[in-house]
Amino acid sequence: MVWRLSSLVGALLAASTLAAEAAPRTFVVDYGLSFLGLTVGKSTLTAERNADHYSLDLDGGLAGMAGWFFQGGGKAGSSGRMSKSGAVPSSFKIDAHYSDYPVTVAVAFNDGTVKSASVDPMPTPRPDRLPVPASDKVGVTDPVGMLAIPAPSGPLQPSFCDRRIPVFDGLTRVDIVLSRGSVSTVTKGPYRGPVLDCRARWVPVSGHRPKGSSVKRMQENDDMRIRLAPAPEVGLLLPLSISVGLTWGTAKIDATRWGETPPAPKPGKGAKASAQP
């Protein structure tokens, strides 16, 4: 009887330990989008991690956040598994509005290979739009999954910036190239500690219009930076800030809350304490 009881207790302890390890960890970041010093939008990024599985949800103004592919507002999400090099999505969705028009995007992946993709409404067909061959849909991530990079086990190193992130957004394939890394320390703001500063380049691959004015501006833009900071709760590096130099100024995205849970609202003056049993 004692042996059975001890075995039962051991099994319960093991089960509770596994359940604790399996519990998803969540990290929330609020961002403010500004242009010429004026706040023009807000977004919230919620990252959830459970072992190798991840989910990322972006809610609010999407301009500048989801890889600079969409402007407007709404929701975007990515889920899949996290490899040593980055997010390997199983699904990517957008439910948003572009200017005054609704846009929905749904992409299904199988281990980094696009299996299906739908965009509604589809852009007006243009004879100069490049097709996206099947080879450009292999080993890719999505515009939200690209925001998360596995955190290193040791200190941040400048070389950790050196990476090329292949991105498919449902219509186009681009590469986000990070380079010229440096490590610095932030002493003000919602996060304080070491950060990784990277130069970013937007390199179109297929699905775009090579002579389009917006494509040419983005392709030639050498004034894009991203600052990554550790989110230890989920084992990721997430954007602390993003800046994009434009013709009339600089568009910036800055974290206004970094993982801290907002305080619970205080009861009003007229509220009565609940009776104790």
Side-chain angles (χ1 to χ4, degrees):
M1 178 63 71
V2 174
W3 176 83
R4 290 182 179 178
L5 182 59
S6 62
S7 298
L8 178 59
V9 172
L12 290 174
L13 288 174
S16 64
T17 301
L18 289 174
E21 291 178 352
R25 296 158 290 165
T26 302
F27 194 84
V28 180
V29 186
D30 288 339
Y31 294 98
L33 173 64
S34 63
F35 182 66
L36 297 177
L38 300 175
T39 300
V40 295
K42 297 180 180 179
S43 294
T44 296
L45 178 65
T46 302
E48 191 172 277
R49 187 89 179 269
N50 185 348
D52 289 336
H53 182 269
Y54 79 90
S55 67
L56 297 167
D57 293 300
L58 184 63
D59 191 350
L62 296 178
M65 279 301 302
W68 308 295
F69 292 110
F70 294 91
Q71 296 176 359
K75 297 181 178 181
S78 171
S79 63
R81 67 177 178 87
M82 190 64 63
S83 71
K84 292 182 179 180
S85 58
V88 182
S90 58
S91 66
F92 166 66
K93 295 181 179 179
I94 282 182
D95 184 3
H97 59 269
Y98 181 86
S99 297
D100 295 327
Y101 299 96
V103 175
T104 58
V105 179
V107 183
F109 301 83
N110 182 12
D111 200 28
T113 297
V114 177
K115 305 306 293 183
S116 64
S118 63
V119 178
D120 184 26
M122 286 291 291
T124 302
R126 304 287 187 183
D128 60 340
R129 184 179 296 278
L130 298 179
V132 182
S135 59
D136 285 347
K137 299 179 182 180
V138 178
V140 296
T141 187
D142 60 73
V144 175
M146 76 171 194
L147 297 174
I149 295 175
S153 57
L156 296 178
Q157 300 292 337
S159 60
F160 206 66
C161 273
D162 299 333
R163 61 184 63 230
R164 194 179 190 101
I165 307 173
V167 181
F168 180 73
D169 68 348
L171 186 66
T172 60
R173 160 65 196 282
V174 305
D175 285 351
I176 303 299
V177 182
L178 303 184
S179 64
R180 300 182 188 175
S182 63
V183 176
S184 58
T185 300
V186 174
T187 58
K188 296 181 180 180
Y191 168 83
R192 301 181 184 188
V195 294
L196 185 66
D197 290 296
C198 308
R199 172 217 190 200
R201 291 296 303 270
W202 186 87
V203 181
V205 177
S206 58
H208 62 287
R209 301 172 62 200
K211 296 183 179 180
S213 58
S214 60
V215 171
K216 293 181 67 176
R217 283 197 300 269
M218 288 296 292
Q219 187 175 11
E220 296 171 357
N221 195 334
D222 194 31
D223 188 13
M224 293 187 287
R225 306 289 303 184
I226 181 169
R227 171 171 282 182
L228 300 166
E233 289 84 347
V234 288
L236 298 172
L237 294 178
L238 297 175
L240 182 65
S241 66
I242 298 174
S243 66
V244 182
L246 303 172
T247 304
W248 298 104
T250 300
K252 293 193 66 178
I253 298 165
D254 293 295
T256 57
R257 177 164 70 97
W258 190 259
E260 295 181 0
T261 303
K266 296 181 179 180
K269 294 182 179 180
K272 296 181 179 180
S274 58
Q276 296 296 323

